[in-house]
Amino acid sequence: MSILIGRLEFEGPFIDPQDIRPESGIYGIICQVGEELELIDLDETHCLRDCLESNEYADNTRFYAETCRGRLSAVVHYTPDLSAFERSEIKHELLSELNQTDPEPEHVH
C-alpha cells in the first residue's frame, strides 16, 4: 500500500521494522483510527530499519501513544541516492507543504 504525504509516496504502514529495508530514507509515524490516518512525526535517517528498531524510537513511541488513540505505525520513503542534507531538505519541504513545524530536533535519526 502507498500513502501520499505532500508530494511523496510512502510505503506502508508498517508495524514491524523487520519489514522495512535497511536503507536511507524519510519516515513518517502515523496514527490510524479506523480509516483515518494522521501524521504525527516526520524525519529522515541513514538507515530506516535501524532507526525504527532503536531504543530511542521505542521511547518516542511511548510519547506518541499518549496522543494517538488508535494504532501507531510507520510509513517510509526510501532515498538510497540522497545525502543526509538532501533528505533533511525534503523533510522540511514536506513539513512546510503540510503547514507543520519540525517537531523536536533531537528525534531519532
Side-chain angles (χ1 to χ4, degrees):
M1 180 173 155
S2 66
I3 295 171
L4 195 62
I5 299 177
R7 63 180 174 84
L8 292 182
E9 210 170 301
F10 284 70
E11 295 180 30
F14 297 102
I15 302 294
D16 185 353
Q18 286 297 310
D19 295 333
I20 298 169
R21 295 191 309 262
E23 294 180 19
S24 66
I26 301 167
Y27 67 91
I29 305 303
I30 58 171
C31 176
Q32 182 173 0
V33 179
E35 295 297 312
E36 292 230 1
L37 300 174
E38 179 185 0
L39 178 68
I40 56 177
D41 194 10
L42 187 71
D43 212 340
E44 63 84 26
T45 182
H46 70 281
C47 184
L48 289 161
R49 182 185 294 163
D50 288 352
C51 174
L52 297 173
E53 285 182 326
S54 73
N55 289 334
E56 187 176 354
Y57 175 75
D59 290 343
N60 288 343
T61 301
R62 284 188 276 283
F63 170 76
Y64 301 141
E66 293 175 13
T67 59
C68 177
R69 299 293 175 231
R71 184 180 71 166
L72 284 170
S73 56
V75 294
V76 299
H77 179 80
Y78 297 101
T79 59
D81 298 328
L82 298 182
S83 69
F85 177 80
E86 291 168 312
R87 289 190 308 270
S88 183
E89 288 291 307
I90 292 170
K91 176 187 86 165
H92 290 293
E93 287 172 18
L94 291 175
L95 289 171
S96 292
E97 192 175 327
L98 299 170
N99 292 321
Q100 294 186 6
T101 57
D102 194 357
E104 299 173 35
E106 308 275 307
H107 274 204
V108 179
H109 292 5

